[in-house]
Amino acid sequence: MMRTGIKHQPNRFRSYQEIHSTVISQFKARDFIGAETLYFESIAYGISLAGEIACLGNIVVSVQKFIEILDGSGDNALVQTKWYSYNVFIRGQYNIFRYDNQDDGFLRPDHQDEHHKHIFDWKTGEELPNSPVWLGEDNWLTLGEVLQEVEDWYWQNREKLAKPDIYPELDLR
């Protein structure tokens, strides 16, 4: 089993879904999230959570997670997030930041594990010189914490955004 901080400890899938639904509903209630296409899907040895979240400012949060089933099945299964990627970008423009633990060969001498954050210049798409930033397995963010960071970023940069009052279209492929 993966060692990780208390907020990422194993949980029953039913509780995991309830927490997820509550967090999304809270951001929708204050109109920061306009829509989302996130869905849970059973896959080998676990559950996938994937899709996009439309936020004010034409901002998209693309979510990809693998939730490992540690024991049991169905809503009562004991689950824990194994890998994740939360990519935040402005539709038709560039990335703002991305949290993940999926980069092949990521480990660097000053990073003890693969949990990190990439930070970009959202006007040019260039990754900043101080990026990526190591977080550590005890400090990586939940989706709710990432959404709060996105909302804070939005309010700090709202006046600089070309479309501050719109929600982006989702799942454009």
Side-chain angles (χ1 to χ4, degrees), residues 53-169:
I53 303 169
C55 303
L56 280 174
N58 206 27
I59 298 170
V60 177
V61 179
S62 177
V63 176
Q64 295 182 333
K65 290 176 83 168
F66 172 69
I67 305 161
E68 185 178 24
I69 296 175
L70 304 174
D71 187 47
S73 63
D75 284 348
N76 203 38
L78 187 63
V79 299
Q80 185 174 37
T81 299
K82 181 80 170 176
W83 58 257
Y84 61 94
S85 174
Y86 308 124
N87 190 44
V88 180
F89 62 96
I90 299 172
R91 176 70 73 207
Q93 290 184 288
Y94 299 106
N95 283 356
I96 300 169
F97 56 83
R98 180 179 69 248
Y99 286 94
D100 70 70
N101 68 340
Q102 298 181 41
D103 296 347
D104 289 335
F106 175 76
L107 289 180
R108 297 194 166 100
D110 58 338
H111 296 190
Q112 289 81 32
D113 59 51
E114 59 279 332
H115 300 278
H116 61 278
K117 176 186 181 182
H118 296 269
I119 307 167
F120 301 89
D121 179 330
W122 63 276
K123 295 176 184 174
T124 67
E126 297 292 319
E127 190 161 5
L128 297 182
N130 62 331
S131 178
V133 176
W134 176 68
L135 302 170
E137 66 182 341
D138 292 337
N139 297 310
W140 54 285
L141 277 59
T142 64
L143 178 56
E145 291 169 323
V146 171
L147 289 170
Q148 185 59 61
E149 183 176 343
V150 174
E151 185 177 25
D152 293 344
W153 185 94
Y154 166 77
W155 288 111
Q156 291 168 4
N157 293 279
R158 185 181 188 287
E159 298 303 318
K160 301 172 196 165
L161 297 172
K163 300 175 181 178
D165 299 318
I166 71 159
Y167 300 105
E169 291 184 54

Side-chain angles (χ1 to χ4, degrees), residues 31-47:
D31 295 325
F32 182 65
I33 291 178
E36 50 91 11
T37 61
L38 298 175
Y39 62 95
F40 290 97
E41 180 179 25
S42 292
I43 57 175
Y45 307 107
I47 300 158

Side-chain angles (χ1 to χ4, degrees), residues 1-47:
M1 185 179 336
M2 177 171 63
R3 184 181 78 81
T4 192
I6 188 87
K7 65 185 173 184
H8 298 291
Q9 290 298 313
N11 201 351
R12 296 291 170 195
F13 186 53
R14 175 184 312 102
S15 296
Y16 193 102
Q17 291 176 65
E18 289 170 0
I19 292 166
H20 172 80
S21 179
T22 298
V23 166
I24 296 296
S25 294
Q26 289 171 344
F27 284 94
K28 283 183 175 180
R30 56 184 191 250
D31 295 325
F32 182 65
I33 291 178
E36 50 91 11
T37 61
L38 298 175
Y39 62 95
F40 290 97
E41 180 179 25
S42 292
I43 57 175
Y45 307 107
I47 300 158

